[in-house]
Amino acid sequence: SSRPGTLPLSSSPRSMAAFDQYLVMDFEASGVVRSSWEWEIVEFPIVVVDAASRTVLERKFHSYVRPTRNPELSQACKDNCGIAQQQVDAAPPIQEVLAAADAFVADLPPGRRAVVTCGDYDLGTAIPAEAHHKGLAVPEWLTEWVNVKVAYGEGPGRGQDRHTMKSMLAGLGLPLEGRHHCGADDAANIAKIVIWLLGQGCTLPVTCSIDKDGQWHRRTDTAWPRGFPPPEPPVEAAEAKETKRRWGKK
């Protein structure tokens, strides 16, 4: 039987991963106004996947974050994410959470690391917006990321725009555990997708980075080396649809 944190693996004898550790992150945001550039991060989780063993490390990072520009959570955030106003009122501001997350990452076992997200919002919009509005210095490890949708979507006929966390889990036959749109639970579910992809020989390279001027730079490295073709699990059309709302995605 599989150990906790493991999933059935291919017979690949060694990891083909581009990195030693994958820091799976999934922010939740306040959603007070329509523009996502004005939202503030209110939940900040990190789940660490060890690429060689394809397991989730016991050490995790999690903090709620107190919004300071718009202190009141939207009703949609409360309903969809299950976050109470009292939880963020008692939480540290993003400056302190970011410093704590940076210390957590620095204390991990040595190795090459990359952040994994389900989409480009977390490091492409959420962190840059917080840095812009609050004068934050962004650690280097938060300036590039692996969008797991890209690696998953490189399979023939899949396309990349239609995939969500739910549709990827369903396509791989993996259960969605916990509460959808709880950042900690979503990060744990995305980690399962990461482990499955690593087990099939996916390299999970960086897909995008952002420079100091806020410009995105897409990467074109293939996630599937020759000899490790990705399978094509079925994805139900209804599961694959995304709306334009924040909480309709992932």
Side-chain angles (χ1 to χ4, degrees):
S1 61
S2 298
R3 292 172 295 167
T6 66
L7 293 171
L9 305 176
S10 73
S11 58
S12 176
R14 62 186 179 87
S15 173
M16 300 291 292
F19 297 92
D20 301 309
Q21 297 164 5
Y22 288 94
L23 313 178
V24 184
M25 305 177 70
D26 190 82
F27 301 144
E28 300 305 333
S30 55
V32 174
V33 295
R34 292 185 64 85
S35 171
S36 59
W37 185 252
E38 300 297 326
W39 296 351
E40 294 174 87
I41 296 169
V42 294
E43 186 179 5
F44 194 123
I46 305 175
V47 172
V48 184
V49 173
D50 176 73
S53 63
R54 302 163 199 162
T55 59
V56 171
L57 299 187
E58 290 186 7
R59 296 179 59 188
K60 298 177 175 65
F61 179 86
H62 181 270
S63 180
Y64 291 110
V65 187
R66 185 172 78 246
T68 55
R69 299 180 68 239
N70 294 287
E72 295 294 321
L73 295 179
S74 67
Q75 191 60 47
C77 179
K78 296 175 186 177
D79 293 342
N80 287 284
C81 304
I83 300 175
Q85 185 67 47
Q86 297 91 322
Q87 289 175 299
V88 296
D89 287 346
I94 187 63
Q95 292 90 337
E96 294 179 23
V97 174
L98 194 58
D102 197 31
F104 168 84
V105 171
D107 196 43
L108 289 171
R112 301 163 300 157
R113 304 185 186 103
V115 171
V116 177
T117 58
C118 189
D120 295 320
Y121 164 78
D122 302 86
L123 299 196
T125 299
I127 287 290
E130 292 279 30
H132 172 78
H133 292 305
K134 300 174 184 178
L136 302 181
V138 178
E140 186 175 355
W141 59 273
L142 287 174
T143 62
E144 61 179 21
W145 62 95
V146 181
N147 180 352
V148 73
K149 295 180 183 181
V150 174
Y152 180 90
E154 282 186 356
R158 285 182 182 169
Q160 294 180 8
D161 292 337
R162 64 179 184 164
H163 299 299
T164 66
M165 184 190 77
K166 289 180 68 175
S167 72
M168 289 187 287
L169 288 170
L172 299 176
L174 302 174
L176 192 161
E177 298 178 313
R179 179 181 183 133
H180 189 24
H181 299 305
C182 163
D185 290 345
D186 282 353
N189 281 302
I190 296 165
K192 293 192 299 184
I193 299 170
V194 169
I195 290 171
W196 190 94
L197 291 170
L198 290 171
Q200 299 299 314
C202 181
T203 63
L204 284 175
V206 166
T207 58
C208 196
S209 61
I210 189 168
D211 62 29
K212 59 183 177 60
D213 297 318
Q215 298 298 309
W216 291 15
H217 301 278
R218 298 287 185 186
R219 308 288 183 86
T220 58
D221 297 343
T222 180
W224 297 96
R226 181 172 295 185
F228 290 89
E232 300 179 55
V235 177
E236 295 295 331
E239 285 285 336
K241 292 181 180 177
E242 291 189 13
T243 70
K244 298 299 182 183
R245 294 178 295 107
R246 167 66 179 154
W247 291 290
K249 295 187 177 183
K250 295 191 297 194

